Amino acid sequence: MSHLPLPLYGFAAFFMTFWLGTWMVHVIAICYGRYKLHKKSCKLPTEAQPLPGVSILKPLMGVDPNLQHNLETFFTMDYPLYELLFCVEDKEDPAIQLVERLLAKYPLVDATLFVGGSDVGVNPKINNIHPGYLAAKYDFVMISDSGIKMKDDTLLDMVQNMSEKHALVHQMPFTSDRDGFAATFEKVFFGTVQSRIYLSADVLGINCHTGMSCLLRKAVIDQLGGLRAFGCYLAEDFFIARSVTRLGWKMRISNQPALQNSGLCDIGSFQARLIRWAKLRVAMVPTTILLEPLSECMILGAIAAWSASVLFSWDPLVFYLVHVLCWFLSDWLLLSIVQHGSMPFHKFEFVVGWLFRELTGPYLFLHALWDPAIRWRARTYKLHWGGMAYELNSPTSDAANAPLAPQPAPTLEPVATSGGSTGETLICTGAKQRLLVS
């Protein structure tokens, strides 16, 4: 191999070093997952240090077959002091009737329904939960997506992970046990690729926060301008975490992964979700364009096999096959740690789901680069570098360079609630100016 140009040896050395670094990420994730996940907390509340109250924001849009069960798990949690703040933007949304039935079923639970939303930016989730955030009465606020299912002690675990140095505790995304190949594919993705990145990022102090289930210090968010300050971003979770850490606070994951339990599970919609996430990552962290494809098993294995043949004259095919086998086994081990119990599918189904994930991952990333517009439900958004967003085909998108307009406070009209409140639900009817983003 001495006849090869010297720069090729440099590239080979770089890729081999990158390959070794990627395997260090595997080791960190497996070891930290074994240490951190599903660990029971030994701290118990005392009269001198009782558990703090928590205001739980639940953004809702539409109804799926599992929604009632998911929401009901929040009414039955083993935690002494919390309030549920359900937020629905559309007054005709069928989720309203479902929530009202739960309010009647659990009259002793402090729960309130907000209908109407606010218009404080382009982020539909922030617009939806903003009235509930303004009404939150406790020092800690939890934001929890509609598809999340809670265990009895999940909230307790999150609160007990919130030390005096932390302002953000978030759950690592995972999924509940469900039937079908689409559910297997989701569990494989969240239990391998996502968990590997999430666990190693938590160890290394890298911002990898996803906002599907997180606990926040309300005073810190208010210091940053409240949730409305993040309405100009679609990835509000990333920017909330970045702002919190820049103030000197710390964040970490809780011991229990978040159990996503949507009743609508199919390959197409999940792949569209993965593409949307990839577009957000590229806009927020441009280095993703290079690093993410190189972190894929098949691509990295091929490059590392070439590097090994150049540097050590090893057989590239044997190296590649051993690389893929070891990656496969480490992913199975990590998924077993995250699952913390028997798998809901056969090992052969894992093989098929794993291969499907690894082979389609690079294609989905290229698709995200090819079409950067982000489509969420019936809306389409475009991102600027850095994560700022504006909605396409919106009356305000043509006025993107206009000065920011002051936002009026929303108007709350009484309608109906359940336990611990004044017996009224709130409809938000005000705040219809949009935050313009240049």
Short mmCIF file of all heavy atoms in Angstrom, two decimals, residues 84-86 96-97 99-104 107 109-115 412-428:
data_model
loop_
_atom_site.label_atom_id
_atom_site.label_comp_id
_atom_site.label_asym_id
_atom_site.label_seq_id
_atom_site.Cartn_x
_atom_site.Cartn_y
_atom_site.Cartn_z
N LEU A 84 -53.59 19.43 36.56
CA LEU A 84 -53.58 19.11 35.14
C LEU A 84 -54.19 20.25 34.37
O LEU A 84 -55.32 20.69 34.67
CB LEU A 84 -54.38 17.82 34.89
CG LEU A 84 -53.83 16.55 35.54
CD1 LEU A 84 -54.80 15.39 35.34
CD2 LEU A 84 -52.46 16.20 34.97
N LEU A 85 -53.46 20.75 33.37
CA LEU A 85 -53.91 21.87 32.56
C LEU A 85 -54.00 21.39 31.11
O LEU A 85 -53.00 21.37 30.38
CB LEU A 85 -52.94 23.05 32.69
CG LEU A 85 -52.67 23.51 34.14
CD1 LEU A 85 -51.56 24.57 34.16
CD2 LEU A 85 -53.93 24.05 34.79
N PHE A 86 -55.20 20.99 30.69
CA PHE A 86 -55.42 20.51 29.34
C PHE A 86 -55.65 21.69 28.40
O PHE A 86 -56.48 22.56 28.69
CB PHE A 86 -56.62 19.56 29.30
CG PHE A 86 -56.43 18.33 30.13
CD1 PHE A 86 -57.00 18.22 31.38
CD2 PHE A 86 -55.67 17.27 29.65
CE1 PHE A 86 -56.83 17.08 32.16
CE2 PHE A 86 -55.50 16.12 30.43
CZ PHE A 86 -56.08 16.04 31.68
N ILE A 96 -62.05 17.82 23.44
CA ILE A 96 -62.72 18.57 24.51
C ILE A 96 -63.71 17.68 25.24
O ILE A 96 -63.74 17.64 26.48
CB ILE A 96 -63.40 19.82 23.94
CG1 ILE A 96 -62.35 20.79 23.38
CG2 ILE A 96 -64.26 20.50 24.99
CD1 ILE A 96 -62.94 22.00 22.69
N GLN A 97 -64.52 16.96 24.50
CA GLN A 97 -65.52 16.09 25.13
C GLN A 97 -64.85 14.98 25.94
O GLN A 97 -65.31 14.62 27.02
CB GLN A 97 -66.44 15.50 24.07
CG GLN A 97 -67.29 16.53 23.35
CD GLN A 97 -68.23 15.90 22.32
OE1 GLN A 97 -68.19 14.69 22.10
NE2 GLN A 97 -69.05 16.72 21.70
N VAL A 99 -61.92 15.11 27.45
CA VAL A 99 -61.39 15.69 28.68
C VAL A 99 -62.51 15.97 29.66
O VAL A 99 -62.38 15.72 30.87
CB VAL A 99 -60.59 16.97 28.37
CG1 VAL A 99 -60.21 17.69 29.66
CG2 VAL A 99 -59.34 16.65 27.57
N GLU A 100 -63.63 16.47 29.17
CA GLU A 100 -64.76 16.78 30.07
C GLU A 100 -65.28 15.52 30.75
O GLU A 100 -65.68 15.56 31.93
CB GLU A 100 -65.86 17.48 29.29
CG GLU A 100 -65.49 18.91 28.88
CD GLU A 100 -66.54 19.57 28.01
OE1 GLU A 100 -67.35 18.81 27.40
OE2 GLU A 100 -66.56 20.81 27.93
N ARG A 101 -65.26 14.41 30.04
CA ARG A 101 -65.69 13.15 30.66
C ARG A 101 -64.71 12.74 31.77
O ARG A 101 -65.12 12.25 32.83
CB ARG A 101 -65.79 12.04 29.61
CG ARG A 101 -66.95 12.20 28.63
CD ARG A 101 -67.24 10.90 27.90
NE ARG A 101 -66.10 10.47 27.10
CZ ARG A 101 -65.92 10.81 25.82
NH1 ARG A 101 -66.81 11.59 25.21
NH2 ARG A 101 -64.88 10.36 25.14
N LEU A 102 -63.43 12.95 31.54
CA LEU A 102 -62.44 12.61 32.56
C LEU A 102 -62.54 13.55 33.77
O LEU A 102 -62.35 13.12 34.91
CB LEU A 102 -61.04 12.67 31.97
CG LEU A 102 -60.69 11.56 30.97
CD1 LEU A 102 -59.33 11.80 30.33
CD2 LEU A 102 -60.72 10.19 31.65
N LEU A 103 -62.85 14.82 33.52
CA LEU A 103 -63.05 15.76 34.62
C LEU A 103 -64.21 15.31 35.51
O LEU A 103 -64.15 15.42 36.74
CB LEU A 103 -63.30 17.16 34.09
CG LEU A 103 -62.18 17.85 33.30
CD1 LEU A 103 -62.60 19.26 32.90
CD2 LEU A 103 -60.89 17.89 34.09
N ALA A 104 -65.26 14.81 34.87
CA ALA A 104 -66.41 14.34 35.64
C ALA A 104 -66.10 13.03 36.37
O ALA A 104 -66.62 12.78 37.46
CB ALA A 104 -67.61 14.16 34.70
N PRO A 107 -63.46 13.93 39.91
CA PRO A 107 -63.75 15.28 40.41
C PRO A 107 -62.78 15.76 41.48
O PRO A 107 -62.69 16.97 41.72
CB PRO A 107 -65.18 15.15 40.95
CG PRO A 107 -65.32 13.69 41.30
CD PRO A 107 -64.52 12.96 40.28
N VAL A 109 -59.50 15.43 41.41
CA VAL A 109 -58.22 15.80 40.82
C VAL A 109 -58.29 17.25 40.35
O VAL A 109 -59.26 17.66 39.69
CB VAL A 109 -57.85 14.87 39.65
CG1 VAL A 109 -56.55 15.33 38.99
CG2 VAL A 109 -57.71 13.43 40.13
N ASP A 110 -57.31 18.04 40.69
CA ASP A 110 -57.24 19.45 40.29
C ASP A 110 -56.91 19.50 38.80
O ASP A 110 -55.77 19.33 38.40
CB ASP A 110 -56.17 20.15 41.11
CG ASP A 110 -56.16 21.67 40.88
OD1 ASP A 110 -56.96 22.13 40.04
OD2 ASP A 110 -55.36 22.35 41.53
N ALA A 111 -57.92 19.73 37.97
CA ALA A 111 -57.74 19.71 36.52
C ALA A 111 -58.55 20.82 35.87
O ALA A 111 -59.67 21.11 36.30
CB ALA A 111 -58.14 18.36 35.95
N THR A 112 -57.98 21.43 34.83
CA THR A 112 -58.63 22.55 34.14
C THR A 112 -58.45 22.38 32.64
O THR A 112 -57.41 21.93 32.17
CB THR A 112 -58.01 23.89 34.57
OG1 THR A 112 -58.02 23.99 35.99
CG2 THR A 112 -58.79 25.05 33.98
N LEU A 113 -59.47 22.75 31.90
CA LEU A 113 -59.44 22.69 30.44
C LEU A 113 -59.39 24.10 29.88
O LEU A 113 -60.21 24.94 30.23
CB LEU A 113 -60.67 21.95 29.91
CG LEU A 113 -60.91 21.98 28.41
CD1 LEU A 113 -59.78 21.30 27.66
CD2 LEU A 113 -62.25 21.34 28.07
N PHE A 114 -58.42 24.36 28.99
CA PHE A 114 -58.30 25.64 28.30
C PHE A 114 -58.58 25.43 26.81
O PHE A 114 -57.99 24.53 26.19
CB PHE A 114 -56.89 26.23 28.47
CG PHE A 114 -56.54 26.58 29.89
CD1 PHE A 114 -56.03 25.63 30.75
CD2 PHE A 114 -56.72 27.87 30.37
CE1 PHE A 114 -55.70 25.93 32.05
CE2 PHE A 114 -56.40 28.19 31.68
CZ PHE A 114 -55.89 27.22 32.51
N VAL A 115 -59.45 26.22 26.26
CA VAL A 115 -59.81 26.10 24.85
C VAL A 115 -59.57 27.43 24.16
O VAL A 115 -59.98 28.48 24.66
CB VAL A 115 -61.28 25.67 24.69
CG1 VAL A 115 -61.66 25.58 23.22
CG2 VAL A 115 -61.54 24.34 25.39
N LEU A 412 -59.61 35.08 29.45
CA LEU A 412 -60.09 33.78 29.91
C LEU A 412 -61.55 33.88 30.30
O LEU A 412 -61.94 34.73 31.07
CB LEU A 412 -59.27 33.30 31.11
CG LEU A 412 -57.76 33.14 30.83
CD1 LEU A 412 -57.06 32.72 32.12
CD2 LEU A 412 -57.53 32.14 29.74
N GLU A 413 -62.33 32.98 29.72
CA GLU A 413 -63.77 32.97 30.00
C GLU A 413 -64.12 31.69 30.76
O GLU A 413 -63.70 30.60 30.37
CB GLU A 413 -64.57 33.01 28.70
CG GLU A 413 -64.32 34.30 27.89
CD GLU A 413 -65.06 34.27 26.58
OE1 GLU A 413 -65.68 33.23 26.27
OE2 GLU A 413 -65.02 35.28 25.87
N PRO A 414 -64.89 31.79 31.85
CA PRO A 414 -65.22 30.59 32.63
C PRO A 414 -66.15 29.65 31.88
O PRO A 414 -67.07 30.08 31.21
CB PRO A 414 -65.91 31.16 33.87
CG PRO A 414 -66.39 32.50 33.47
CD PRO A 414 -65.46 33.01 32.42
N VAL A 415 -65.89 28.35 32.01
CA VAL A 415 -66.82 27.37 31.47
C VAL A 415 -66.99 26.16 32.39
O VAL A 415 -68.06 25.89 32.84
CB VAL A 415 -66.35 26.87 30.08
CG1 VAL A 415 -67.37 25.95 29.51
CG2 VAL A 415 -66.09 28.02 29.15
N ALA A 416 -65.98 25.34 32.69
CA ALA A 416 -66.10 24.16 33.60
C ALA A 416 -64.75 23.55 34.01
O ALA A 416 -63.88 23.57 33.21
CB ALA A 416 -66.88 23.05 32.94
N THR A 417 -64.47 23.00 35.23
CA THR A 417 -63.24 22.27 35.66
C THR A 417 -63.58 21.17 36.66
O THR A 417 -64.71 20.90 36.89
CB THR A 417 -62.20 23.17 36.37
OG1 THR A 417 -62.62 23.45 37.62
CG2 THR A 417 -61.82 24.34 35.62
N SER A 418 -62.52 20.59 37.21
CA SER A 418 -62.75 19.60 38.26
C SER A 418 -61.82 19.88 39.42
O SER A 418 -61.00 20.76 39.36
CB SER A 418 -62.55 18.19 37.71
OG SER A 418 -61.25 17.76 37.83
N GLY A 419 -61.86 19.09 40.43
CA GLY A 419 -61.36 19.23 41.77
C GLY A 419 -60.27 20.23 42.06
O GLY A 419 -59.35 20.42 41.34
N GLY A 420 -60.34 20.86 43.18
CA GLY A 420 -59.32 21.74 43.68
C GLY A 420 -59.37 23.13 43.10
O GLY A 420 -58.60 23.99 43.48
N SER A 421 -60.25 23.41 42.13
CA SER A 421 -60.34 24.73 41.53
C SER A 421 -61.66 25.37 41.90
O SER A 421 -62.33 24.95 42.81
CB SER A 421 -60.19 24.63 40.01
OG SER A 421 -58.88 24.26 39.67
N THR A 422 -62.04 26.39 41.13
CA THR A 422 -63.26 27.12 41.44
C THR A 422 -64.46 26.58 40.70
O THR A 422 -65.51 27.20 40.68
CB THR A 422 -63.07 28.59 41.06
OG1 THR A 422 -62.74 28.67 39.67
CG2 THR A 422 -61.96 29.21 41.87
N GLY A 423 -64.30 25.41 40.03
CA GLY A 423 -65.42 24.82 39.32
C GLY A 423 -65.66 25.45 37.99
O GLY A 423 -66.80 25.59 37.57
N GLU A 424 -64.63 25.83 37.26
CA GLU A 424 -64.85 26.41 35.95
C GLU A 424 -63.70 26.04 35.02
O GLU A 424 -62.56 25.93 35.41
CB GLU A 424 -64.96 27.94 36.04
CG GLU A 424 -63.83 28.60 36.78
CD GLU A 424 -64.05 30.08 37.00
OE1 GLU A 424 -65.19 30.47 37.22
OE2 GLU A 424 -63.07 30.82 36.92
N THR A 425 -64.06 25.75 33.76
CA THR A 425 -63.04 25.51 32.72
C THR A 425 -62.81 26.83 32.02
O THR A 425 -63.66 27.67 32.06
CB THR A 425 -63.56 24.49 31.72
OG1 THR A 425 -63.82 23.31 32.42
CG2 THR A 425 -62.58 24.20 30.64
N LEU A 426 -61.69 27.01 31.39
CA LEU A 426 -61.34 28.30 30.81
C LEU A 426 -61.23 28.21 29.29
O LEU A 426 -60.63 27.29 28.76
CB LEU A 426 -60.00 28.78 31.40
CG LEU A 426 -60.00 28.91 32.93
CD1 LEU A 426 -58.61 29.26 33.40
CD2 LEU A 426 -60.99 29.96 33.36
N ILE A 427 -61.83 29.17 28.63
CA ILE A 427 -61.65 29.30 27.19
C ILE A 427 -60.85 30.55 26.94
O ILE A 427 -61.21 31.64 27.38
CB ILE A 427 -63.01 29.39 26.45
CG1 ILE A 427 -63.74 28.05 26.58
CG2 ILE A 427 -62.80 29.75 25.01
CD1 ILE A 427 -65.02 28.01 25.79
N CYS A 428 -59.75 30.38 26.22
CA CYS A 428 -58.90 31.53 25.89
C CYS A 428 -59.33 32.08 24.55
O CYS A 428 -59.38 31.37 23.56
CB CYS A 428 -57.43 31.08 25.83
SG CYS A 428 -56.34 32.37 25.30
#
